[in-house]
């Protein structure tokens, strides 16, 4: 079987700004949990931040199998700076789907 088709895991990229998780992160985790139920895979949440551990409590939700912490030199979700980290993690955990949304606050784009 093709390795891509054998992959069933879902990766949610947590969105945050000014030290707070965005509401959309919970919505993406809910959508990821629904997809996980269909595929039988794992649901992982990736948080990229200068202090990723600060977000763990808010990401410990039903259906989440793993929270992946990635330290970065910025306190908010910076799409341009985070793309390589997301790609690397998605490849390492062999992800079927990535759920992510750039923040509405345009200042978050470095």
């Amino acid at each position: 079987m093709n390795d891509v088709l054998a992959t069933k895991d879902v990766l949610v990229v947590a969105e945050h700004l000014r030290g707070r998780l965005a509401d959309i992160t919970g919505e993406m985790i809910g959508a990821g949990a629904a997809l996980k139920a269909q595929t039988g895979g794992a649901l992982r949440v990736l948080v990229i931040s200068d202090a990723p551990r600060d977000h763990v409590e808010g990401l410990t939700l039903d259906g989440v199998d793993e929270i992946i912490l990635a330290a970065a030199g910025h306190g908010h979700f910076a799409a341009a700076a985070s793309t390589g980290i997301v790609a690397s993690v998605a490849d390492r955990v062999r992800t079927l789907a990535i759920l992510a949304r750039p923040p509405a606050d345009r200042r978050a784009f470095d």
Side-chain angles (χ1 to χ4, degrees), residues 19 56 64 86:
V56 170
V64 174
V86 173

Side-chain angles (χ1 to χ4, degrees), residues 1-43:
M1 178 186 279
N2 186 316
D3 286 344
V4 173
L5 297 177
T7 303
K8 300 178 180 182
D9 297 347
V10 179
L11 179 67
V12 171
V13 180
E15 179 182 319
H16 55 89
L17 186 62
R18 297 182 190 99
R20 299 182 59 136
L21 287 171
D23 291 341
I24 190 68
T25 298
E27 295 174 25
M28 289 189 296
I29 289 172
L35 186 55
K36 167 190 164 174
Q38 293 177 359
T39 66
L43 174 58

Side-chain angles (χ1 to χ4, degrees), residues 89-106:
V89 170
D91 186 53
R92 182 176 54 84
V93 299
R94 302 178 54 85
T95 303
L96 171 67
I98 300 171
L99 304 180
R101 180 187 77 114
D105 186 336
R106 300 301 294 177

Side-chain angles (χ1 to χ4, degrees), residues 54-65:
D54 293 351
H55 300 290
V56 170
E57 184 177 334
L59 297 171
T60 305
L61 302 171
D62 287 341
V64 174
D65 297 299

